[in-house]
Amino acid sequence: MSKTAAPKPKRKWGFGPGLLVAAAFVGPGTIATASASGAGYGYALLWALLFSVVATMALQEMSVRQAIVTGKGLATTLREALAGRWLGRGAIVLVIAAIGLGNAAYESGNIAGAALALESISAINTSTWALLIGAASAALLFLPAYRQLERVLIALVLLMSAVFVASALLLSPDWSSLVQGFRPQLPEASLTMVIALIGTTVVPYNLFLQANAAREHWADEPDRAMALSSARIDTVLSVSLGGLVTLAIVSAAAMTFFAQGLAFAPEQITTQLEPVLGPAGRYVFAAGLCAAGLTSAITAPLAAAYAVCGALGLPDTLRGTAFRLIALSVVLTGTVFAATGARPLSLILFAQAANGLLLPIIAIILLWLMNRRELLGEAANSWRSNLLGVVVVGVTVGLGANKLLGLLG
């Protein structure tokens, strides 16, 4: 009697923790950068956006792969792999400085961006909205399970995506010019904007954020190969969606400002859709900007807590006491700065410098980790992954050097 073959498990398609990356990098800062790019250069810099999306996919996939195989967050893996080495101690200090302190500084921009969006369509001032958004962010961080938080973030990201993509389509973009924008070109005085577009997408704290989120998401999946496959699909879909949203924002600004020869100022950011939607355009754009600010206001403290706890050897789970204290301190710092209207410029400059140095270092160490077969076995990098990784590392080194030189004047 022949044996009946066991049914193969179905591959899990769809969005998962990868959407946290989209939630993190499509925040008020990215919206402002993408708007300025479209308003100043039209579609000419879309190639830089495409590169940043591919680079983000490559690094995030490596980070997630090691997390699923080892069952540990990226910061924990780095700390253990580099224990006793001077580079390890330096990397830990950089992780705490760039991601812990840095995200506390950036949190003020996330909360202020969401508050600005709500103030533009209401009679309530920015300070009050900042306090309410900060309280909402803190409350969501206290949800009892990771899955619940993930569902909230997925809903907010999908709302944000629907608003910006639908709005860009309503503006009837010039498809021919849009396609030509993926051909590498460098208009006069556009290098800074190219670096900004790439730098706002390829960010180091997302590596720590998604690695830990993927570890928790697939913790109960017995088939590791299935988990790796699902995680890869999730990463590609999620980062692509984030790139599509950024593309939509660039396109909207290109049609509203660049095509009309109009000057662009940051305070005009919520008016981009008024030429097509009339007064309702302000409300539609504000909804997307608010969702972007709120999602980033949640993911920034998550990333900081995951990274700092892992670097210090503390429990890096949502229910951990140290984890919650670090996450809440980031939210509190950002809320205070946003509500008072203060801009912690010295802290932001320090964070930018630390992140500029951290990204290439983490990228190089991550590439080294992904080639350690004694750690990852068959999940170690292939030559194709290494080739793509080397290209990405080369660009991140250049970005980091440029950012540091720029900050130093």
Side-chain angles (χ1 to χ4, degrees), residues 105 107-109 111-113 115-116 119 125-131 332-345 348:
E107 182 75 345
S108 63
I111 294 175
L116 177 65
E119 183 193 39
N125 61 38
T126 303
S127 296
T128 302
W129 278 122
L131 292 173
L332 179 61
T333 301
T335 301
V336 169
F337 282 126
T340 59
R343 292 289 292 164
L345 291 179
I348 289 174

Side-chain angles (χ1 to χ4, degrees), residues 106-402:
Y106 297 149
E107 182 75 345
S108 63
N110 296 329
I111 294 175
L116 177 65
L118 292 172
E119 183 193 39
S120 70
I121 58 173
S122 72
I124 301 175
N125 61 38
T126 303
S127 296
T128 302
W129 278 122
L131 292 173
L132 293 173
I133 293 166
S137 301
L140 288 171
L141 288 172
F142 271 94
L143 288 175
Y146 165 78
R147 295 278 185 171
Q148 293 175 309
L149 179 59
E150 184 181 281
R151 291 189 187 102
V152 171
L153 288 169
I154 287 175
L156 288 170
V157 172
L158 293 179
L159 168 65
M160 171 186 70
S161 303
V163 167
F164 288 127
V165 174
S167 300
L169 293 175
L170 286 173
L171 287 168
S172 301
D174 183 344
W175 295 105
S176 176
S177 298
L178 189 151
V179 172
Q180 291 178 12
F182 292 108
R183 177 176 55 85
Q185 53 191 301
L186 202 63
E188 184 178 354
S190 64
L191 180 59
T192 299
M193 185 58 67
V194 168
I195 293 170
L197 271 176
I198 297 175
T200 197
T201 305
V202 190
V203 290
Y205 69 77
N206 277 341
L207 297 171
F208 298 88
L209 174 64
Q210 192 184 359
N212 284 78
R215 181 201 64 184
E216 294 199 34
H217 184 89
W218 281 285
D220 299 325
E221 174 58 66
D223 189 334
R224 192 174 70 182
M226 185 63 63
L228 289 171
S229 178
S230 298
R232 188 173 295 111
I233 292 169
D234 171 45
T235 298
V236 171
L237 287 176
S238 300
V239 176
S240 296
L241 179 62
L244 179 62
V245 172
T246 307
L247 168 62
I249 297 167
V250 171
S251 180
M255 295 299 295
T256 303
F257 295 98
F258 184 79
Q260 306 299 324
L262 301 175
F264 172 78
E267 57 268 19
Q268 296 174 295
I269 194 169
T270 60
T271 67
Q272 293 183 38
L273 305 180
E274 289 187 0
V276 173
L277 302 179
R282 181 183 297 271
Y283 292 88
V284 173
F285 196 93
L289 180 57
C290 178
L294 183 56
T295 54
S296 295
I298 297 169
T299 53
L302 277 179
Y306 278 136
V308 173
C309 285
L312 295 177
L314 301 170
D316 54 353
T317 62
L318 282 174
R319 295 183 180 183
T321 301
F323 184 98
R324 289 186 169 182
L325 286 175
I326 292 170
L328 286 175
S329 67
V330 171
V331 175
L332 179 61
T333 301
T335 301
V336 169
F337 282 126
T340 59
R343 292 289 292 164
L345 291 179
S346 59
L347 185 55
I348 289 174
L349 287 174
F350 170 77
Q352 288 178 334
N355 273 282
L357 185 59
L358 178 65
L359 178 57
I361 291 177
I362 293 299
I364 291 170
I365 296 175
L366 180 59
L367 196 57
W368 168 69
L369 279 176
M370 299 311 297
N371 281 277
R372 293 187 61 189
R373 294 199 173 273
E374 72 276 14
L375 179 68
L376 301 173
E378 294 182 358
N381 267 5
S382 65
W383 69 267
R384 293 182 184 84
S385 296
N386 282 330
L387 179 60
L388 181 57
V390 167
V391 173
V392 172
V393 164
V395 173
T396 58
V397 169
L399 285 174
N402 189 286

Side-chain angles (χ1 to χ4, degrees), residues 18-171:
L19 267 190
L20 270 65
V21 177
F25 78 70
V26 185
T30 296
I31 292 173
T33 300
S35 297
S37 173
Y41 303 98
Y43 299 109
L45 303 183
L46 289 183
W47 62 271
L49 173 60
L50 177 61
F51 170 81
S52 68
V53 167
V54 174
T56 300
M57 286 180 186
L59 292 178
Q60 295 295 147
E61 190 277 333
M62 292 182 199
S63 178
V64 168
R65 190 169 6 125
Q66 72 78 31
I68 291 176
V69 173
T70 64
K72 300 172 182 176
L74 180 58
T76 300
T77 302
L78 291 177
R79 177 175 51 80
E80 293 177 355
L82 299 173
R85 308 186 188 203
W86 66 269
L87 181 59
R89 291 189 290 269
I92 288 173
V93 171
L94 266 178
V95 165
I96 295 172
I99 301 180
L101 296 178
N103 281 16
Y106 297 149
E107 182 75 345
S108 63
N110 296 329
I111 294 175
L116 177 65
L118 292 172
E119 183 193 39
S120 70
I121 58 173
S122 72
I124 301 175
N125 61 38
T126 303
S127 296
T128 302
W129 278 122
L131 292 173
L132 293 173
I133 293 166
S137 301
L140 288 171
L141 288 172
F142 271 94
L143 288 175
Y146 165 78
R147 295 278 185 171
Q148 293 175 309
L149 179 59
E150 184 181 281
R151 291 189 187 102
V152 171
L153 288 169
I154 287 175
L156 288 170
V157 172
L158 293 179
L159 168 65
M160 171 186 70
S161 303
V163 167
F164 288 127
V165 174
S167 300
L169 293 175
L170 286 173
L171 287 168

